[in-house]
Amino acid sequence: MKHVIEQGKNNHPVFVLLHGTGGDETSLLEVGRLLDEEATMIGIRGNVLENGYPRYFKRLSDGVFDLESLETESKQLHEAIQELAYVNSFDVTNVVLVGYSNGANIGIRLLLDYPEIYQKAILFHPMYPVEVKDRQLLNKTQVFVTMGKFDQMVSIQESQRVLYLLEEREADVTEMWENTHQLMYEEIEQAKRWLEKTSS
């Protein structure tokens, strides 16, 4: 998968940066620097194109995921992260998934499928309209989630579904409500404080 890496310091997190629809591997680099300028930054571009715009998996329509694509692409993304960890000699246990919108959505899938590997995530404006029958616990997982009260892409009900999905599996969830789907500076600042608190 197409990616970019900025090497940071060993005692700082490894941010896996997952963009929203239409973004690319560089889209969240500045967000990562604001969160921790000494962290390692790994931006990965989604494999799927929708009307020419990169995404991490296909959707059938707005708010309706292609579940087969989600399964296939999340596995490929996981394998890409593991390979990058091996080639670049970073500890995968230091990974913090940082995703916005579509990137946050596939981040949820990684948390659900690989709970022993991915145990910390910052999810900006996710949704996950998928029935998840697996009740595997996420009691080692820490997540910071932001949502919009007037988000034109994600309803309050869908935002609450994400919270319920994580909390039902005993993840440690910190939530923040903004207004719209747009990623705001205040969200990044709150995420930074959360990251510092949970890393101490």
Side-chain angles (χ1 to χ4, degrees), residues 93 110-111 113-119 136-137 139-141:
T93 62
L110 293 178
L111 294 177
D113 284 354
Y114 309 100
E116 296 302 318
I117 297 176
Y118 307 110
Q119 296 184 351
Q136 186 166 350
L137 291 181
N139 56 336
K140 298 178 182 178
T141 304

Side-chain angles (χ1 to χ4, degrees), residues 10-98:
N10 291 335
N11 59 338
H12 286 259
V14 176
F15 292 148
V16 173
L17 305 169
L18 305 170
H19 61 79
T21 300
D24 62 24
E25 64 277 15
T26 67
S27 294
L28 294 184
L29 286 175
E30 186 57 33
V31 172
R33 296 183 193 113
L34 289 170
L35 290 170
D36 183 346
E37 62 183 7
E38 296 185 330
T40 293
M41 315 289 172
I42 302 176
I44 302 177
R45 184 186 299 191
N47 274 335
V48 171
L49 289 179
E50 180 180 273
N51 299 320
Y53 296 110
R55 283 176 53 85
Y56 289 99
F57 58 89
K58 297 176 184 177
R59 57 183 170 182
L60 304 178
S61 61
D62 286 347
V64 182
F65 293 178
D66 182 323
L67 299 184
E68 183 177 341
S69 175
L70 176 61
E71 179 178 0
T72 300
E73 296 299 331
S74 61
K75 183 178 180 182
Q76 289 188 13
L77 177 58
H78 166 67
E79 291 171 351
I81 294 169
Q82 296 302 298
E83 182 178 356
L84 288 170
Y86 177 76
V87 170
N88 295 279
S89 301
F90 67 78
D91 186 350
V92 75
T93 62
N94 288 334
V95 163
V96 179
L97 302 175
V98 181

